Amino acid sequence: MTKSDSELDPLWKDLDWAIGQMLIMGWDGTEVTPQIRNLIENHHLGSIILTAKNLKSAEQTASLVQELQTIARQAGHPQPLLIALDQENGGVNSLFDEDYICQFPSAMGIAATGSTELAYSVAKATATEVSAVGVNLILGPVLDVLTNARHQPLGVRATGDDPQEASQFCIAAINGFKDAGVATCGKHFPSYGNLDFLGSSLDMPIITQTLEELSLSALVPFRNAITAGRLDAMFVGGCGIQNAGMNVMHACLSDQVVDELLRNELGFKGVAISECLEMQSLIQEYGVKGGTVMAVEAGNDLILLCRAHDVQLEAISGLKLGFENGIISKERIYTSLKRVLRLKSICTSWQKALNPPGLSLLSKIHPSHLTLSRTAYDQSIAVVRDKENLLPLSQSLLQEEELLLLTPLVKPLPASAATKSMLEKSNSKARSIHEKWVHQERGAIMSGEGVFRELGRSIARIRNGKLLHTSYTANGLRPVHENLINRASAIIIVTADANRNLYQTGFTKHVAMMCHMLRGTGQKKSLIVVAASSPYDFAMDKSIGTYVCTFDFTETAMASLVRTLYGEIVPQGSMPGTLRKTKKVSKTRQQWLVENYDRERDGSALTELLRTLARSSTPSLPYLTTRAQSFELFNPHVEEAHFVVRNSSTKTLYGFVATYYTKGIGAIGGLFVDPSKRNVSIGRSLHRRAMRALLQKQGIKRVQLGITFPGVFPGVPVDESGSNKSWFDNVGWDTQFPKRLTNMVIDDLGSWTAPEGLLQSIQRASISFDLIHGLDNAESVLNHIATHAGPEVVELYRFALQETNTSGVVRAKNSMDNLLGTVIICTAASRLSTYIPPLHSAHGEDIGGIIAPVVPATAQSTLILQGLAFMGVRQNKAHKSAKSALSWVLNEAHEPLEAMGFEVQQTFDEITNSPENWSDLS
């Protein structure tokens, strides 16, 4: 709950202190400098960003962070410093220590595994490691969608080009970070996934898509991550936006982007962090003082200034001047202050900040994390094509035949031993605009032999024979290359972002043509192309017969590559996003064995599947608070039958479907599949079995998707893309006329008050309310429900009335004692929370329930509904509930409840069809 000004520490009334909390700054050097000490002690700087230039090892990092926090504590800071770090894995890690910090695949490499469970585990391991050295804010995950995948500098830092897949993997990563106790920061809003580097008058790339186009693709993961509810901060990019509706020179300086788009349209309530304001284009255009004020005006809460001390002091001066000039109000400063303090309260404390576990924890977890690292890399390697069955090389290349390795010139990755040994020799030559957006750090250029030397050594060791190895450059195919190609029987060419380094494309095609010609003379010239970064280099070029992707060229990735080339592991990875789906089309009619659900055998596996779905779905409800027992009613009036697709060897569940039948109505009450097993027809197989079971029932009158008791899925979850509903369209449902059910919530019941005039309106209408328990007085209520709702709602009311200590029914009556409407009220202790996920808290709060209001349509129905909801809230408050969950209201009935302070939590479409629609289930 956000603190009011009166609840804040009196220290924050000093605006110098408050302004210090609105800045996040860094410096160059591996020790505390007088400049950074001055910022913390005298300018009350509240947040620090660490980069590779600050960090030598895990031990040094823990010591450095502890020293920074001690300085803050001694300087009187009420809360610890935020310590932020880029640790995206793959090629973007600020902290490297091969003895204690593990290397994991890039975001796209993790997506290539197809496993959101692995994404969660890797994110949790990464966050656990950086937390051990005192970091409390991880600048990730990357939420960008590669709309123009082949030409974007983000490359493998992003998940891929499919917005829904990106959402799943990013939410899994967020959950991993959060479960390790670290705060999260999505980036780069509104998108770095389709930047235009041509035709810009700015010294930076621009977004040319319209807001409508962005909303359909680029903004989807941002929206879904916000909806999932665990994203603490958002990094707002510095790119330009030029389209018909917006002309913005720097996104992070625009209130259209931050306040309107991010906060108002997407509903983000966390901390907005600006791109670094030390950009030359910004300095030239506005100056640092002006830019800093504009960033705050736009809606940013933390202003990033990376390393130049004079620029940082100028920014502080600018904020003070902005307040003195009346441009920035006191209220605006305190709005950001409260957001930042709330973030700090979530991720740190003085006890935690001053006592990082450091090496003692890292040494314990390192062995298991090394195993996880190897598993993740091994599962990420993708053999996209192998037309001539060249892999494994142990079977296609004889011992006496020569193997040639050709590698490009590349910048070393920060997370590598090679880089650590060369950091002091970093080359600071000017980069192009495009290059600046590839990496924050300037790495030294070193030869292909340097970066890929260990790859060559590993191949030579595993084949126990000679390896020819040389690099290639923009100078193209040279006589030395031709001589080596003539000698070798097999050639491996490594590329790294060939679409942005076109000499690599030209060189590879030239070698491929030469090999083709030599094969025509009877010579053996096997060609394998390895994309060691972006998988798009030759993804669509079928002339490259054997094509392997590793998604980064860290030493760990190259070790997995060698194991793949020589058959020690079977490659499991696949192309990310839309290319993965294209590849899987041929499998969509696969048949799976469907078995009856067995509680003893499958119960724990079902609960584990639900946890996996919670980590990778948006919103995470209803999966987050659902367990296996949520689907089993044991009700004599309801027939239930549930089915699974499972791996009988590992006991893992791949998918689950629940069915119910009562009084002529058959319903599917839940159908879900492990995210890593989607697009291979498991859902179709489960659906077919469920429908066959329901249609065999005597007297069936209608079939429906969704059921309100149990209320895990009252209908098909509504998603913006419409993908859920379209899936059911594709398996035969007519989804044109759904019944909309909305779950709602009051998150802060303690501060809720009744809308002005509501009680007076109820009294004028002569509507009265009473609360009943037990079945003795319930006949009129059950008759009312049977008349105006389905038979499953009757069973829901019957269940609630029998729970006399924890639930009851509120009746609305007119002056003639006629029943106008009803609603179930329950406390947090009610067994209804087992079956209705919104009532069950994942975080331990007491949640009161207002369940299944049934109000026939009349002129007074809106007022009756509001009255029933008001009575429910009053009962929930009386039982000391922290929240009120209202599940569910029909169609547009949520609108008058929103006016009362309820917020929409999740919406579902209940879909009803006639059994005659299902004559063919082939």
Side-chain angles (χ1 to χ4, degrees):
M1 190 171 68
T2 305
K3 292 182 178 181
S4 65
D5 290 357
S6 61
E7 291 176 297
L8 288 171
D9 191 299
L11 182 75
W12 302 122
K13 292 180 181 178
D14 183 338
L15 282 180
D16 285 354
W17 273 94
I19 285 172
Q21 297 299 304
M22 296 173 67
L23 298 161
I24 177 168
M25 296 177 172
W27 81 102
D28 286 346
T30 56
E31 297 178 351
V32 173
T33 61
Q35 290 83 4
I36 197 70
R37 179 184 287 272
N38 171 53
L39 289 170
I40 296 169
E41 290 181 338
N42 301 319
H43 297 283
H44 320 301
L45 175 65
S47 301
I48 300 286
I49 181 169
L50 298 176
T51 69
K53 292 189 175 182
N54 303 119
L55 312 176
K56 295 190 294 187
S57 67
E59 185 174 21
Q60 173 265 342
T61 302
S63 176
L64 177 67
V65 171
Q66 192 173 35
E67 184 178 359
L68 290 167
Q69 295 287 18
T70 301
I71 291 168
R73 182 66 183 268
Q74 292 175 348
H77 285 238
Q79 287 185 272
L81 302 171
L82 280 179
I83 305 291
L85 187 73
D86 269 314
Q87 196 80 352
E88 295 176 20
N89 290 317
V92 184
N93 278 351
S94 297
L95 176 58
F96 174 75
D97 185 330
E98 57 191 339
D99 294 325
Y100 295 105
I101 304 295
C102 277
Q103 175 65 45
F104 294 105
S106 62
M108 193 177 289
I110 291 293
T113 70
S115 171
T116 51
E117 184 73 15
L118 192 59
Y120 170 84
S121 298
V122 165
K124 187 175 182 180
T126 300
T128 302
E129 290 179 350
V130 300
S131 176
V133 298
V135 172
N136 48 40
L137 172 61
I138 199 159
L139 298 177
V142 170
L143 294 169
D144 305 279
V145 178
L146 295 179
T147 313
N148 184 4
R150 289 157 185 78
H151 303 286
Q152 291 304 310
L154 273 180
V156 296
R157 295 173 64 193
T159 299
D161 64 352
D162 181 81
Q164 294 301 333
E165 183 171 284
S167 298
Q168 289 179 356
F169 279 91
C170 290
I171 289 168
I174 290 169
N175 287 331
F177 293 151
K178 291 289 288 180
D179 289 352
V182 175
T184 59
C185 176
K187 58 187 182 184
H188 310 80
F189 189 81
S191 178
Y192 282 1
N194 189 18
L195 299 175
D196 187 346
F197 292 86
L198 302 174
S200 171
S201 60
L202 311 171
D203 184 22
M204 64 176 56
I206 58 173
I207 297 171
T208 57
Q209 292 173 293
T210 65
L211 282 179
E212 290 76 13
E213 290 169 331
L214 287 170
S215 184
L216 289 172
S217 179
L219 292 179
V220 170
F222 292 95
R223 183 187 297 113
N224 287 341
I226 291 166
T227 303
R230 301 193 80 187
L231 190 64
D232 300 300
M234 188 74 80
F235 185 91
V236 185
C239 58
I241 305 175
Q242 293 182 359
N243 58 45
M246 193 180 288
N247 187 11
V248 169
M249 299 189 74
H250 302 274
C252 62
L253 304 189
S254 168
D255 60 350
Q256 284 181 280
V257 175
V258 186
D259 267 347
E260 293 180 21
L261 182 57
L262 178 61
R263 296 207 185 278
N264 295 340
E265 290 193 32
L266 299 191
F268 182 64
K269 298 178 181 178
V271 172
I273 304 177
S274 79
E275 172 67 275
C276 180
L277 299 194
E278 294 180 24
M279 293 180 289
Q280 198 58 39
S281 60
L282 186 147
I283 291 173
Q284 294 296 324
E285 187 74 27
Y286 306 112
V288 174
K289 287 183 179 179
T292 306
V293 172
M294 289 176 69
V296 173
E297 274 194 291
N300 292 286
D301 305 300
L302 278 176
I303 313 304
L304 174 60
L305 296 121
C306 295
R307 52 176 63 92
H309 188 59
D310 56 337
V311 173
Q312 292 168 341
L313 293 177
E314 193 177 345
I316 294 169
S317 172
L319 282 181
K320 293 178 180 178
L321 195 59
F323 174 72
E324 291 169 10
N325 287 348
I327 301 172
I328 301 173
S329 68
K330 189 175 182 180
E331 290 71 28
R332 176 68 194 83
I333 293 171
Y334 280 121
T335 296
S336 285
L337 173 66
K338 282 182 269 191
R339 287 185 187 132
V340 172
L341 294 180
R342 182 177 181 278
L343 173 56
K344 289 187 175 187
S345 70
I346 290 170
C347 68
T348 190
S349 64
W350 281 120
Q351 172 63 28
K352 186 177 176 181
L354 296 174
N355 302 282
L359 300 190
S360 62
L361 174 61
L362 290 172
S363 59
K364 290 177 186 175
I365 62 178
H366 194 59
S368 64
H369 284 193
L370 279 176
T371 301
L372 177 64
S373 169
R374 177 164 173 157
T375 299
Y377 270 107
D378 285 353
Q379 291 184 17
S380 72
I381 305 296
V383 176
V384 180
R385 288 184 300 276
D386 186 18
K387 290 181 182 178
E388 298 171 7
N389 296 318
L390 301 181
L391 301 178
L393 282 171
S394 54
Q395 295 180 15
S396 65
L397 188 66
L398 299 176
Q399 181 69 33
E400 62 271 16
E401 291 177 320
E402 292 195 282
L403 175 63
L404 171 62
L405 176 65
L406 297 168
T407 54
L409 293 178
V410 293
K411 292 180 180 180
L413 299 174
S416 67
T419 303
K420 280 294 175 184
S421 68
M422 298 187 67
L423 274 179
E424 288 75 20
K425 303 175 185 176
S426 290
N427 184 349
S428 60
K429 83 173 195 180
R431 299 171 294 165
S432 69
I433 300 171
H434 197 284
E435 285 174 319
K436 292 176 185 177
W437 294 76
V438 180
H439 247 280
Q440 294 293 330
E441 297 302 327
R442 298 182 177 183
I445 295 289
M446 58 193 287
S447 69
E449 290 96 327
V451 171
F452 295 110
R453 183 180 293 121
E454 185 54 36
L455 170 63
R457 288 173 178 162
S458 297
I459 293 174
R461 279 194 299 269
I462 200 167
R463 77 181 302 248
N464 197 25
K466 189 173 182 181
L467 175 80
L468 308 171
H469 180 194
T470 190
S471 63
Y472 63 94
T473 70
N475 293 325
L477 197 69
R478 312 299 294 168
V480 64
H481 300 126
E482 293 180 1
N483 292 336
L484 291 170
I485 291 167
N486 279 315
R487 283 178 55 183
S489 297
I491 299 99
I492 299 172
I493 302 179
V494 176
T495 64
D497 296 308
N499 283 304
R500 292 188 286 107
N501 299 285
L502 292 179
Y503 78 90
Q504 297 180 20
T505 304
F507 181 86
T508 302
K509 286 182 172 293
H510 197 159
V511 173
M513 183 176 66
M514 185 176 172
C515 288
H516 180 73
M517 291 172 61
L518 291 171
R519 279 196 296 269
T521 67
Q523 298 183 54
K524 181 178 179 180
K525 297 294 168 190
S526 303
L527 178 63
I528 298 168
V529 175
V530 176
S533 187
S534 168
Y536 300 103
D537 290 357
F538 293 96
M540 308 305 290
D541 188 343
K542 302 296 175 63
S543 68
I544 304 299
T546 300
Y547 184 52
V548 184
C549 299
T550 68
F551 304 97
D552 69 57
F553 48 87
T554 56
E555 289 93 332
T556 321
M558 294 299 96
S560 289
L561 170 64
V562 173
R563 290 194 289 275
T564 300
L565 292 175
Y566 277 86
E568 290 190 0
I569 57 172
V570 177
Q572 302 176 44
S574 61
M575 290 290 289
T578 55
L579 289 175
R580 189 205 320 272
K581 292 180 179 178
T582 302
K583 186 177 178 182
K584 285 183 175 178
V585 166
S586 61
K587 300 182 185 176
T588 56
R589 293 297 176 185
Q590 180 178 343
Q591 298 285 338
W592 291 82
L593 288 175
V594 178
E595 303 177 50
N596 290 320
Y597 172 77
D598 182 301
R599 187 183 316 109
E600 291 187 10
R601 182 193 67 196
D602 302 323
S604 59
L606 176 55
T607 295
E608 188 56 40
L609 174 58
L610 288 160
R611 287 183 183 136
T612 298
L613 287 159
R615 288 193 281 262
S616 61
S617 302
T618 176
S620 56
L621 285 172
Y623 304 112
L624 186 63
T625 56
T626 303
R627 297 294 180 265
Q629 56 266 36
S630 301
F631 294 97
E632 295 192 276
L633 287 177
F634 305 109
N635 186 310
H637 303 286
V638 180
E639 296 179 46
E640 51 187 317
H642 314 314
F643 306 97
V644 297
V645 170
R646 57 190 287 270
N647 184 320
S648 59
S649 300
T650 65
K651 316 301 182 191
T652 305
L653 285 198
Y654 292 162
F656 173 84
V657 63
T659 71
Y660 305 89
Y661 177 77
T662 179
K663 295 190 176 179
I665 297 173
I668 292 179
L671 193 166
F672 42 86
V673 174
D674 186 319
S676 67
K677 296 293 181 183
R678 288 175 183 167
N679 301 311
V680 292
S681 221
I682 291 173
R684 281 180 176 270
S685 298
L686 286 164
H687 176 264
R688 187 181 301 109
R689 182 68 183 87
M691 291 304 295
R692 283 180 175 161
L694 291 174
L695 294 172
Q696 288 170 3
K697 301 294 183 185
Q698 291 294 322
I700 187 161
K701 299 172 186 175
R702 67 176 191 261
V703 288
Q704 67 185 42
L705 293 173
I707 189 167
T708 52
F709 186 53
V712 180
F713 289 98
V716 178
V718 175
D719 61 321
E720 297 226 358
S721 69
S723 60
N724 290 332
K725 195 184 286 187
S726 67
W727 188 90
F728 285 102
D729 275 328
N730 291 334
V731 295
W733 286 82
D734 180 353
T735 64
Q736 289 185 77
F737 304 106
K739 182 167 71 175
R740 179 65 55 90
L741 291 90
T742 302
N743 287 341
M744 308 187 77
V745 67
I746 296 175
D747 268 324
D748 182 9
L749 202 53
S751 62
W752 183 87
T753 55
E756 191 174 343
L758 176 61
L759 287 174
Q760 292 86 336
S761 297
I762 291 171
Q763 288 167 357
R764 282 197 299 270
S766 300
I767 300 171
S768 62
F769 301 91
D770 65 0
L771 176 65
I772 66 168
H773 303 275
L775 291 170
D776 293 343
N777 303 312
E779 185 177 354
S780 64
V781 169
L782 294 178
N783 288 337
H784 168 79
I785 303 303
T787 303
H788 300 290
E792 76 274 20
V793 185
V794 174
E795 297 309 319
L796 172 60
Y797 268 75
R798 197 191 308 275
F799 184 95
L801 286 162
Q802 289 172 324
E803 283 223 310
T804 54
N805 292 328
T806 57
S807 62
V809 172
V810 172
R811 301 184 295 189
K813 298 180 180 180
N814 62 15
S815 58
M816 305 293 293
D817 209 35
N818 295 322
L819 194 58
L820 303 176
T822 58
V823 71
I824 297 168
I825 309 297
C826 66
T827 69
S830 170
R831 286 196 302 131
L832 279 171
S833 64
T834 301
Y835 302 109
I836 301 176
L839 302 183
H840 188 84
S841 171
H843 309 293
E845 315 106 318
D846 280 356
I847 300 177
I850 305 169
I851 311 299
V854 177
V855 181
T858 65
Q860 288 187 317
S861 56
T862 295
L863 185 60
I864 296 166
L865 177 63
Q866 288 182 312
L868 288 168
F870 170 73
M871 295 300 294
V873 171
R874 195 160 75 173
Q875 285 289 321
N876 291 165
K877 289 187 78 167
H879 286 95
K880 310 297 183 186
S881 298
K883 298 181 178 182
S884 272
L886 197 162
S887 177
W888 32 260
V889 290
L890 293 175
N891 299 319
E892 305 304 319
H894 63 89
E895 294 178 358
L897 296 178
E898 287 182 272
M900 291 179 62
F902 284 91
E903 296 179 359
V904 172
Q905 187 179 49
Q906 193 171 9
T907 53
F908 300 86
D909 280 343
E910 182 190 279
I911 295 162
T912 302
N913 281 190
S914 166
E916 283 73 32
N917 290 7
W918 297 96
S919 57
D920 181 16
L921 280 170
S922 58

